[in-house]
């Protein structure tokens, strides 16, 4: 008799758990099929998402996929987190547009809900005041369709150091703005944040001029660190995932800038610029090139 009651009790508990899981919204994480090291980066973002969202499914999207709508319908998700520009753009063209959050893309508040790779100017200024108090002004050069920095709202206080955005309508005009700053306008106490999507051949020429004029270059693209910029500010992928996961649990998710940022330092460039970095500050850089 006791054994029968115990079995009924277990079945009752199983039934409650099953119902609770069934009611929990399903979040589908769609991401591009890529090779290493990009695959590991996406894996870290997904790990972060799953720290905040327990009921998830994964959808790896190969390049050239023709029927993403059908793939999404087979999963029948309540919400979608689309990672990477290619997957995000494709997902937003389906009937699941209103249920989609985007991540691992550069976007702005006028676009879809999600987390942009762009930094808020207040956040960048705060990190610079901690790591590089010798910088008195920052020129952030970017292409309008690829914003690396979102300027603080008008009612926010002026940042220290001040961040001045120079934006081009296309890459050609953006390169002109960058060239004018590096060759003429910027001084040794200024820093120039180069476009994250700057072509490699142009970056090579810009870093040569900056090296000769001893102009400080910054970037939000980690690969630029080896090319001659002094510092880079790049996403903490797992924490980016947590930020996306937290948004996905909201009934009406909105737009957010990247909140958790790692920093990298090129010590050879620092030495060339006669910039001394104290040990306590040096420890705050997650990547240090000698």
């Amino acid at each position: 008799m006791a054994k029968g009651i115990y079995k009924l009790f277990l079945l009752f508990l199983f039934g409650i758990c099953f119902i609770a899981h069934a009611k929990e919204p399903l979040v589908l994480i769609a991401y591009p099929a890529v090779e290493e090291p990009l695959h590991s980066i996406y894996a870290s973002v997904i790990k972060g998402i799953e720290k905040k969202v327990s009921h998830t499914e994964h959808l790896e999207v190969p390049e050239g996929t023709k029927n993403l709508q059908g793939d999404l319908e087979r999963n029948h998700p309540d919400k979608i987190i689309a990672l990477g520009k290619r997957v995000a753009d494709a997902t937003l063209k389906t009937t699941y547009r209103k249920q989609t959050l985007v991540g691992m893309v550069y976007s702005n508040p006028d676009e879809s809900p999600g987390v942009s790779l762009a930094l808020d100017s207040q956040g960048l200024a705060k990190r610079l005041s901690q790591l590089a108090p010798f910088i008195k002004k920052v020129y952030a050069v970017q292409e309008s369709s690829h914003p690396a920095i979102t300027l603080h709202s008008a009612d926010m206080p002026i940042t220290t150091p001040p961040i001045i955005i120079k934006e081009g309508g296309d890459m050609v005009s953006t390169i002109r703005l960058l060239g004018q700053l590096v060759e003429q306008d910027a001084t040794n106490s200024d820093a120039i944040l180069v476009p994250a999507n700057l072509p490699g051949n142009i970056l090579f020429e810009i870093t040569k001029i900056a090296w000769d004029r001893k102009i400080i270059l910054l970037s939000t693209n980690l690969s630029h660190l080896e090319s001659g910029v002094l510092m880079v500010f790049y996403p903490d992928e797992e924490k980016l995932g947590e930020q996306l996961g937290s948004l996905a649990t909201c009934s009406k998710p909105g737009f957010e800038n990247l909140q958790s940022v790692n920093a990298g330092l090129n010590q050879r460039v620092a030495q060339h610029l006669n910039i001394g970095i104290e040990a306590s500050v040096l420890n705050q850089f997650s990547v240090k090139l000698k």
Side-chain angles (χ1 to χ4, degrees):
M1 180 69 177
K3 190 179 287 188
I5 293 173
Y6 179 69
K7 285 183 178 179
L8 287 173
F9 178 68
L10 288 178
L11 287 171
F12 174 71
L13 284 179
F14 177 78
I16 290 175
C17 292
F18 179 79
I19 291 169
H21 183 73
K23 289 182 178 179
E24 188 178 356
L26 170 62
V27 176
L28 178 67
I29 304 170
Y31 61 97
V34 290
E35 302 293 332
E36 293 292 358
L38 289 176
H39 185 270
S40 293
I41 292 174
Y42 282 105
S44 295
V45 176
I46 292 169
K47 181 181 178 181
I49 293 171
E50 292 180 333
K51 283 186 175 181
K52 300 293 182 179
V53 182
S54 56
H55 192 195
T56 64
E57 295 288 346
H58 298 179
L59 177 63
E60 188 176 56
V61 183
E63 187 149 8
T65 296
K66 301 295 185 183
N67 189 25
L68 184 59
Q69 176 74 38
D71 293 337
L72 298 178
E73 287 174 351
R74 278 188 286 276
N75 286 275
H76 198 62
D78 297 289
K79 289 182 179 178
I80 298 169
I81 297 177
L83 301 177
K85 181 171 174 56
R86 175 172 64 82
V87 174
D89 287 347
T91 304
L92 292 173
K93 291 177 183 177
T94 70
T95 58
Y96 287 89
R97 178 183 179 86
K98 292 183 178 179
Q99 295 150 261
T100 299
L101 288 78
V102 300
M104 296 295 287
V105 295
Y106 288 93
S107 56
N108 60 61
D110 300 325
E111 298 176 0
S112 302
V115 177
S116 174
L117 287 175
L119 305 177
D120 178 76
S121 60
Q122 292 280 344
L124 176 61
K126 183 178 179 180
R127 290 303 299 275
L128 284 172
S129 65
Q130 296 165 347
L131 301 174
F134 47 83
I135 294 175
K136 304 307 179 186
K137 182 169 55 184
V138 178
Y139 293 101
V141 184
Q142 58 191 29
E143 188 179 4
S144 58
S145 62
H146 203 88
I149 299 293
T150 300
L151 193 62
H152 62 80
S153 59
D155 57 346
M156 297 283 283
I158 300 298
T159 61
T160 304
I163 295 176
I164 301 165
I165 292 183
K166 299 283 189 178
E167 198 166 80
D170 54 27
M171 183 49 70
V172 173
S173 59
T174 303
I175 291 171
R176 287 200 190 103
L177 289 171
L178 180 60
Q180 174 75 23
L181 283 168
V182 176
E183 292 175 343
Q184 299 181 37
D185 297 346
T187 68
N188 292 346
S189 64
D190 301 331
I192 301 172
L193 185 80
V194 303
N197 61 333
L198 191 66
N201 60 327
I202 303 298
L203 178 63
F204 178 76
E205 296 298 329
I206 290 296
T207 53
K208 279 202 307 183
I209 299 169
W211 179 274
D212 292 339
R213 294 195 65 224
K214 292 196 172 182
I215 300 296
I216 297 169
L217 298 182
L218 309 173
S219 181
T220 58
N221 186 332
L222 181 57
S223 68
H224 288 177
L225 194 62
E226 293 183 341
S227 300
V229 305
L230 175 65
M231 295 180 186
V232 294
F233 299 90
Y234 63 100
D236 181 315
E237 290 98 6
E238 193 166 326
K239 288 183 179 177
L240 167 59
E242 291 180 30
Q243 192 178 346
L244 279 165
S246 295
L247 264 186
T249 63
C250 299
S251 56
K252 292 183 178 179
F255 169 91
E256 294 180 0
N257 285 103
L258 183 67
Q259 293 175 355
S260 297
V261 181
N262 292 325
L265 173 70
N266 188 316
Q267 296 181 82
R268 179 169 175 262
V269 174
Q271 185 178 21
H272 172 72
L273 296 173
N274 297 316
I275 294 172
I277 307 291
E278 295 181 6
S280 60
V281 175
L282 197 61
N283 290 335
Q284 298 180 49
F285 291 94
S286 51
V287 175
K288 297 180 280 287
L289 294 185
K290 294 184 178 180

